[in-house]
Amino acid sequence: MGQAEQVREAAAAALADSGVVVEDVAVHPAGKRRLVRVGVARDVSDLLAQDLTSAVEPLTLDEVAEASRAVGVGLDDSDAMGSAPYTLEVTSLGVDHPLSTPEQFRRNVGRLLRLRVSESAQGETADTGAETEARLLEAGPDGIRLADAPDNLLPYDRISAAKVQVEFTRPGGKDN
């Protein structure tokens, strides 16, 4: 098991039952130290089975700070980093992070997305397929529904790329 996987396991254990999950882990050499970046997000695992459409609030700064403390303690208590010094950065993932899992799509219901959609399941690379921009209405375990085709379920295996688009004012007057 690589160091990033060990960090992921230690961080996930430290965040268990906190309502926050580990989304991304990267470990980079930085001189004599290592830079450990842990991306976190709100846990939506319970929502995927029951509620496919309600908005999910992003993590607050206080929640990210608490997650950072918990991950720091978890890493210090584990052997994931060994004895070498490291710098820990815990952050929520930004809108530029590509969406690839049902949980990532679920957290972004109501947001405007730019997607690359292939005609057939898993048949095309990220550089092929039609690009579209539409509001995400619903995200479930099997796929998503977009505002431009609300009656059609778009399976995840037909989505080769997806990113949230920055909007300064969203419909309903709520700012980003």
Side-chain angles (χ1 to χ4, degrees), residues 27-128:
V27 179
H28 303 285
K32 293 181 181 182
R33 305 178 72 79
R34 285 170 285 173
L35 176 60
V36 179
R37 288 192 173 121
V38 179
V40 295
R42 186 165 310 283
D43 184 7
V44 293
S45 57
D46 289 341
L47 292 179
L48 281 177
Q50 306 160 10
D51 174 4
L52 307 179
T53 60
S54 65
V56 174
E57 292 297 318
L59 291 175
T60 66
L61 290 175
D62 288 340
E63 288 171 313
V64 174
E66 182 57 36
S68 181
R69 284 188 288 276
V71 170
V73 169
L75 286 179
D76 288 345
D77 291 346
S78 76
D79 291 332
M81 295 307 299
S83 61
Y86 64 91
T87 301
L88 175 64
E89 288 182 7
V90 176
T91 183
S92 60
L93 300 178
V95 294
D96 60 336
H97 192 273
L99 306 179
S100 59
T101 67
E103 293 82 9
Q104 290 169 343
F105 280 94
R106 180 60 191 88
R107 284 184 202 100
N108 287 288
V109 166
R111 306 289 300 264
L112 185 65
L113 304 182
R114 177 165 289 154
L115 305 109
R116 189 173 305 276
V117 180
S118 63
E119 291 299 319
S120 61
Q122 299 177 359
E124 301 185 36
T125 67
D127 293 333
T128 62

